Amino acid sequence: MIKKLQDEQTDRLFEGMLKLQSIEDCYRFFEDLCTISEIKAMAQRFQVAVMLDEQRVYTDIEQETGASSATISRVNKSLLYGEDGYRLVLERLKENNE
């Protein structure tokens, strides 16, 4: 799947993201790059991933995040069968919190 996404422009975008050094840097960059709705949607999907990783049930996730069952299902599918991007970040966040 990565090969479908990978190209020189996307590589450059990700290289730029790796230069961000703080949450403030991220807010500034993403506010310029994305719409508020896009940022909120990504944040919601990530929160869904966090809650699924905590073994929370769909109904609780729907209530707490406002995500649809379709969104929750898509995130769950990515956690189970995706490229392990969510898993990578979730594990690294856990390491930082220990």
Side-chain angles (χ1 to χ4, degrees):
M1 182 62 115
I2 291 174
K3 293 295 181 194
K4 291 182 182 180
L5 177 65
Q6 193 170 13
D7 61 24
E8 190 174 319
Q9 286 180 325
T10 308
D11 285 352
R12 188 75 177 143
L13 170 66
F14 293 157
E15 287 171 7
M17 287 179 176
L18 290 170
K19 300 299 180 190
L20 300 171
Q21 297 178 350
S22 67
I23 290 176
E24 180 63 28
D25 286 355
C26 291
Y27 273 105
R28 292 173 64 191
F29 179 72
F30 280 94
E31 192 167 337
D32 285 349
L33 181 66
C34 303
T35 66
I36 300 295
S37 295
E38 290 168 332
I39 296 167
K40 293 292 187 182
M42 287 187 285
Q44 181 188 63
R45 287 192 297 269
F46 189 69
Q47 183 59 32
V48 167
V50 168
M51 294 175 80
L52 287 167
D53 187 57
E54 294 170 347
Q55 305 299 312
R56 303 281 297 276
V57 296
Y58 275 37
T59 53
D60 289 345
I61 297 170
E62 282 179 300
Q63 288 177 343
E64 289 187 38
T65 67
S68 68
S69 59
T71 296
I72 298 167
S73 179
R74 183 182 183 285
V75 172
N76 193 46
K77 182 179 176 186
S78 292
L79 280 168
L80 296 173
Y81 307 110
E83 296 292 327
D84 288 331
Y86 281 124
R87 188 77 48 218
L88 176 71
V89 173
L90 291 169
E91 292 304 319
R92 288 185 181 168
L93 284 171
K94 287 177 189 174
E95 289 170 8
N96 288 346
N97 289 332
E98 293 175 351

